[in-house]
């Protein structure tokens, strides 16, 4: 598949976004907050965060981005 831009990725259906993410994305890190797990993946030249609710046993949301506050939770330095 050709490389997609973030904008082209967001235009895809939810199913197509999940399919690309889980077949071509590279898992980077995970953060657990309360009943949720947040996993971030690198895909093409951007990132995608998946929120998974442990209690309900399902994916809650998918957020794609290049930089910003979402990525900050994965780059915190632990002293």
């Amino acid at each position: 598949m050709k490389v997609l831009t973030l904008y082209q990725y967001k235009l895809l259906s939810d199913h197509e976004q999940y399919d690309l993410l889980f077949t071509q994305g590279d898992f980077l890190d995970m953060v657990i907050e309360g009943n949720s797990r947040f996993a971030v993946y690198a895909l093409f030249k951007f990132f995608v965060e998946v929120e998974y609710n442990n209690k309900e046993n399902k994916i809650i949301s998918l957020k794609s981005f290049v930089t910003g506050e979402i990525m900050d939770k994965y780059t915190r330095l632990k002293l």
Side-chain angles (χ1 to χ4, degrees):
M1 166 162 241
K2 69 176 186 165
V3 174
L4 297 179
T5 65
L6 176 61
Y7 180 73
Q8 291 168 322
Y9 179 75
K10 287 185 174 197
L11 290 176
L12 299 173
S13 70
D14 288 347
H15 177 76
E16 291 171 313
Q17 287 182 29
Y18 284 111
D19 185 51
L20 274 175
L21 178 63
F22 295 130
T23 59
Q24 297 187 36
D26 293 318
F27 174 79
L28 299 177
D29 200 3
M30 182 182 350
V31 173
I32 298 172
E33 295 179 356
N35 287 327
S36 294
R37 282 186 288 169
F38 297 88
V40 68
Y41 296 81
L43 180 64
F44 304 118
K45 294 187 178 189
F46 53 88
F47 303 100
V48 180
E49 178 185 68
V50 177
E51 179 181 359
Y52 177 82
N53 184 291
N54 295 326
K55 190 173 184 179
E56 296 178 24
N57 196 30
K58 67 178 185 178
I59 293 174
I60 302 297
S61 68
L62 183 84
K63 297 177 185 171
S64 48
F65 59 97
V66 176
T67 61
E69 290 181 29
I70 296 173
M71 190 54 134
D72 290 347
K73 79 171 92 170
Y74 301 99
T75 58
R76 289 189 209 142
L77 294 176
K78 295 176 176 58
L79 302 175

